[in-house]
Amino acid sequence: MLLVSLLISGCSIEQNNITSTLFHNTTAHYNGYYYALEKTREVEKIILKSLDDDPNQILRLFPKLDTVLAKSFTKDTDEIIKMASLSIQRHPNSKWVDDNYVLVGKARLFAGDYTNAIQTFKYVNTKSTDANTRHRALVQLLRTFTEQNDFDRAEETFRFLEKEKLNKQNRKDLFLEKAYYYQVRNDYDYMVRNLTAADSLLERKDRKGRIYFLIGQIYQKLGFDAEAYNYYRKCIGTSPEYEIDFYARLNMAQVARLDDKRDIKQLRAQFEKMLGDAKNVEFRDKIYYELGEFDRKQGNLKLAIESYTQAAHAGTNKRIQGSSYLRIGQLQFDSLKKYTLAKLYYDSAIGALPKDFEGYDNIKKRQEVLGEFARYTEAIAWNDSLLMLATLDTATVRVRLDSILASRKIVEDAGKKKKKRSNGGSGGSQVSSLYRSESSATTDWYFGNPSAVALGQSEFQRIWGAIPLEDNWRRSNRTTVISEPGASVVDAPTQEKTTENSKAATEVDEVGALLKQIPRTAEQQQAALAKIEEGYFKLGDLYYFQLNEKENAFDSYEKLLQRFPDSEFKPEVLYKLYLIVFEKDPTQAERYASMLKSNYPNSHFTRVLINPDYQRETSVAAEKQKLIYKEAFAYYQANNLRMAQEKIKAALQEGETAFTPQIELLKILVTGRTEDVTRYQFELGEFIKKYPDEALKPYAEQLLASSKSLLEKQERAKGIQFIQSLEGPHNFVIVYNTAEKITNPVSTALEKYNASQWKDLKLNTSNIILNDEKTITIVTELPTLEAALSYFDKFLAQIAIGKPFSNYKFYSFVITKDNFQIFYRTKALDEYLTFFDRNYQKQNQ
């Protein structure tokens, strides 16, 4: 009876004796807490299974808690909270109350109820009298803040714990939770420090092999290959899961030192052993890929490409397949300089790689750039080859092309035989076959490169279409006559002959199509050179701006200037060369700057070079000019020309901007209404010369042509009549062929003549284009007829007999200002020379 009474009194939650304490501690632990703990372990296993390891990437230390996944174990987390809560309610005086609260907090954490989980862990930290339990709750609080991405509060938590004295379990958990915190923040340096700190505390249940593998991965990423090698070896020593073991062995080959040939031989033997192991069949693609990496690091590019090609076809893993194509593309571009092939492999890589692949956006960008890159490199090679062929006669060219086609046929036939022998005739990918045919090429000449020839043929078909080989192929009405001696019209050819004839016709058609593309005329050759010039310029820009390869950009720009010293791109190229070498070689940079400033003083690039803020300043000024221009144009349309001129002057005072040509052209239009037509035409001609690349140039040319056409009609209508009066100021004129390019020597000679013998008259020299063939140099102005004739006679006696005049044909005469207006307007050179002889020459005086 006494025993029953003791048991009943021990069940009361109000008692605090030995019997009550023992009862509640035992019951709380082995009922509510025990079942809640078992459910917690089951949920942790479910979460752990959700961890999708990709050993090609750095493993996650812990799975990411997911609200979607949490729905699958909602009943379990509810059960954990229920059992732990009942234990707390029924045994509030037991020593397991705080432990039950920790399980409630973890259940809420797993369910994604972060707010209540935080409150629960904070409650334990505040109320618990057991230091280890408080620390355990704070470790879980750290995990909750990390999952919330509340990094500031997470750091406050672990900084506090670092100052506390922790037991072994809590110290291990703190190191692991800190490592996870740093992984989420992509701080691999501090992550690996915490993982290595936890090393001595790890137990087998912590999956030590996986953590060692993760440490090796991080060390490898950070460039500490020796440490990575040691941890991969430690990983293998723990007998981890097969996949982790497999990748640890592969990664050891990546970080192994290759100073000793024996080590290289041993690693190669290990690769062969792994490839021969039946257990590794599903991993053969990865083994081949790592073998390719192994050979690439040693510089064995041919073997590396073969291994990457095998990797791309040995399995179905798109990530490995894409990585293999990417590596081949990188080698083709960076090392082998085969840009068309590089483009093909990059295309295949982008098609296979998932969009979450590391650096995918940069790979995609390079793939897009390579399309242009291949186009311009092939354009240079194609047109250089065509220009070289243009120097040969047709028979020699045909012999060479036939020889190349025959060599290519031998290579193709050998490839077909090899293909039949290997894998029972099973075919590889298109890219693989392209690689094999390209690698077999024995010449760098354009027509020895099948991919380059194919590109040229597609370009030809794009322009001309799929036309048959026949005479007069560019004519709409054409006839083709083909006669083959000895051919029988009646006899039907056999299947074999038909095939042979078809192949022969294809080869002939290919040669014929190539022959048609050879630039024979000067115009065609100039067009080919223009494509080469543009190719070098575009390649330089791609290297400089897209690929950020300044040395290659420099080489491309330099080749452009060497081959095309008068290139239209020269000002821009000089400026870019200046920028490329400025930091490395200031002296060389100054040389480019001097060339730019002396040869192109009015260039936009010269202005930017002199004033780096030029673009920003001119953009502001241009906006002001546009507003003033709007007013000026309104005045012009209203025929208020005086106010239009004032507004134009105000706009031009804002400085020279990209909008300045628009204003200057409006000024010329006003000139056409306020001054004589000769001045109007002269200003239009100067505008065209000053802005050869301006969008308004065609409009200015149209205005000039219309004005000239109108004047010609008017002059023809009334006849050309020069004014008979010879009194008053005169100009001295020299007319010569523009093609002879003697404008500067002529001007210099006349200026010296003026300075030495006519200094008092303060004469001026200028140059004007007379027509498409002639240029005139004018000396203004001689005050009287007598002065003009004296100037003319002395010129013939003293200056005309020397250089440059003695080497060229030219016309010289004096002319009144009024007659010059008629002369320039009518371009009537022969008529005025007759007038001059009759009215000025001494024998006719």
Side-chain angles (χ1 to χ4, degrees), residues 494-717:
T494 63
Q495 182 75 21
E496 183 177 355
K497 288 182 178 180
T498 302
T499 304
E500 292 176 357
N501 291 339
S502 176
K503 290 181 179 179
T506 301
E507 292 176 1
V508 171
D509 184 65
E510 190 172 356
V511 173
L514 291 173
L515 288 173
K516 288 183 175 68
Q517 296 180 70
I518 297 175
R520 296 294 184 183
T521 67
E523 182 180 352
Q524 291 172 338
Q525 291 174 4
Q526 193 61 41
L529 288 170
K531 290 179 181 178
I532 296 172
E533 179 183 359
E534 181 191 23
Y536 280 121
F537 178 75
K538 294 293 187 181
L539 285 179
D541 282 356
L542 289 174
Y543 274 128
Y544 192 18
F545 298 112
Q546 301 292 338
L547 303 179
N548 196 28
E549 298 178 9
K550 293 185 178 180
E551 291 186 4
N552 286 330
F554 179 87
D555 292 341
S556 187
Y557 288 142
E558 277 290 336
K559 287 178 182 178
L560 170 63
L561 295 183
Q562 289 170 6
R563 291 195 61 175
F564 305 96
D566 298 322
S567 171
E568 62 176 311
F569 304 115
K570 190 170 183 179
E572 185 174 352
V573 168
L574 289 173
Y575 178 68
K576 289 173 181 174
L577 288 171
Y578 165 83
L579 294 177
I580 290 172
V581 302
F582 179 75
E583 293 183 1
K584 185 184 293 185
D585 190 348
T587 303
Q588 188 178 15
E590 184 56 35
R591 181 171 67 85
Y592 290 122
S594 298
M595 292 171 62
L596 181 58
K597 288 185 282 189
S598 60
N599 296 329
Y600 306 95
N602 297 320
S603 169
H604 168 80
F605 298 99
T606 304
R607 294 190 176 96
V608 174
L609 177 67
I610 296 172
N611 178 17
D613 293 329
Y614 171 77
Q615 287 182 310
R616 178 179 58 81
E617 293 173 358
T618 54
S619 63
V620 176
E623 292 303 317
K624 293 181 180 178
Q625 285 180 332
K626 290 176 183 178
L627 295 175
I628 301 173
Y629 175 86
K630 187 176 181 180
E631 297 179 33
F633 190 75
Y635 283 126
Y636 170 76
Q637 287 183 313
N639 206 33
N640 189 346
L641 302 181
R642 182 178 61 80
M643 288 301 297
Q645 287 174 320
E646 290 182 7
K647 290 296 180 181
I648 290 171
K649 183 178 180 181
L652 292 174
Q653 286 175 348
E654 292 293 331
E656 188 164 354
T657 71
F659 195 70
T660 299
Q662 192 93 10
I663 301 169
E664 291 188 355
L665 187 57
L666 179 59
K667 181 181 178 182
I668 295 172
L669 293 176
V670 174
T671 299
R673 292 189 183 183
T674 58
E675 299 187 33
D676 62 86
V677 69
T678 304
R679 179 70 180 177
Y680 172 67
Q681 291 182 355
F682 172 75
E683 293 292 344
L684 283 173
E686 291 299 305
F687 179 90
I688 293 167
K689 287 192 293 181
K690 185 176 180 180
Y691 301 109
D693 300 321
E694 178 60 41
L696 291 171
K697 178 187 174 185
Y699 179 60
E701 291 174 332
Q702 183 181 355
L703 291 174
L704 182 59
S706 299
S707 177
K708 289 180 178 180
S709 177
L710 178 61
L711 280 179
E712 288 175 1
K713 290 179 181 178
Q714 292 175 346
E715 292 297 336
R716 283 196 297 270

Side-chain angles (χ1 to χ4, degrees), residues 97-151:
V97 169
D98 297 336
D99 297 274
N100 277 299
Y101 272 119
V102 171
L103 292 181
V104 170
K106 290 182 72 173
R108 289 170 173 169
L109 170 63
F110 296 154
D113 185 4
Y114 298 133
T115 302
N116 286 322
I118 291 170
Q119 289 179 353
T120 305
F121 294 134
K122 284 184 175 181
Y123 176 82
V124 175
N125 180 53
T126 305
K127 299 296 184 179
S128 179
T129 58
D130 182 65
N132 291 332
T133 305
R134 292 200 310 272
H135 295 156
R136 192 161 77 251
L138 289 174
V139 169
Q140 295 302 317
L141 182 63
L142 167 59
R143 174 68 175 277
T144 308
F145 286 143
T146 302
E147 292 293 343
Q148 272 192 314
N149 291 332
D150 190 348
F151 300 122

Side-chain angles (χ1 to χ4, degrees), residues 786-838:
E786 290 73 22
L789 290 174
S790 176
Y791 187 100
F792 176 79
D793 292 337
K794 288 183 179 181
F795 169 81
L796 291 179
Q798 301 174 16
I799 307 303
I801 59 177
K803 292 182 179 180
F805 305 97
S806 60
N807 295 333
Y808 300 95
K809 180 180 180 180
F810 64 94
Y811 304 97
S812 60
F813 49 83
V814 294
I815 187 170
T816 63
K817 293 179 66 176
D818 291 336
N819 280 338
F820 180 80
Q821 299 294 333
I822 299 172
F823 166 76
Y824 185 79
R825 192 168 61 242
T826 61
K827 318 298 183 190
L829 177 60
D830 293 336
E831 289 80 355
Y832 184 77
L833 289 174
T834 302
F835 176 87
F836 175 78
D837 289 340
R838 291 176 180 175

Side-chain angles (χ1 to χ4, degrees), residues 305 326-343 345-346 366 369-371 373-374 377 539 542-543 547 549 552:
I305 290 175
L326 176 62
R327 276 288 190 237
I328 299 176
Q330 290 170 339
L331 292 177
Q332 296 290 356
F333 182 87
D334 297 322
S335 303
L336 302 177
K337 307 299 181 185
K338 295 182 178 179
Y339 305 114
T340 301
L341 280 177
K343 172 65 168 66
Y345 281 111
Y346 265 89
R366 170 165 277 214
V369 169
L370 281 174
F373 203 95
T377 52
L539 285 179
L542 289 174
Y543 274 128
L547 303 179
E549 298 178 9
N552 286 330

Side-chain angles (χ1 to χ4, degrees), residues 383-449:
N383 287 285
D384 270 335
S385 295
L386 290 178
L387 288 170
M388 187 276 290
L389 291 176
T391 63
L392 307 175
D393 60 85
T394 304
T396 304
V397 172
R398 185 174 287 277
V399 169
R400 288 198 178 190
L401 293 178
D402 288 341
S403 175
I404 291 168
L405 290 174
S407 301
R408 193 174 72 182
K409 187 175 183 299
I410 293 173
V411 173
E412 290 175 351
D413 292 343
K416 290 177 182 178
K417 292 179 181 178
K418 183 178 179 181
K419 186 176 179 181
K420 289 180 180 179
R421 287 195 301 267
S422 63
N423 299 325
S426 61
S429 71
Q430 182 180 3
V431 175
S432 176
S433 64
L434 279 170
Y435 160 69
R436 287 194 295 271
S437 64
E438 183 69 17
S439 64
S440 302
T442 58
T443 175
D444 290 331
W445 190 49
Y446 180 86
F447 289 103
N449 184 335

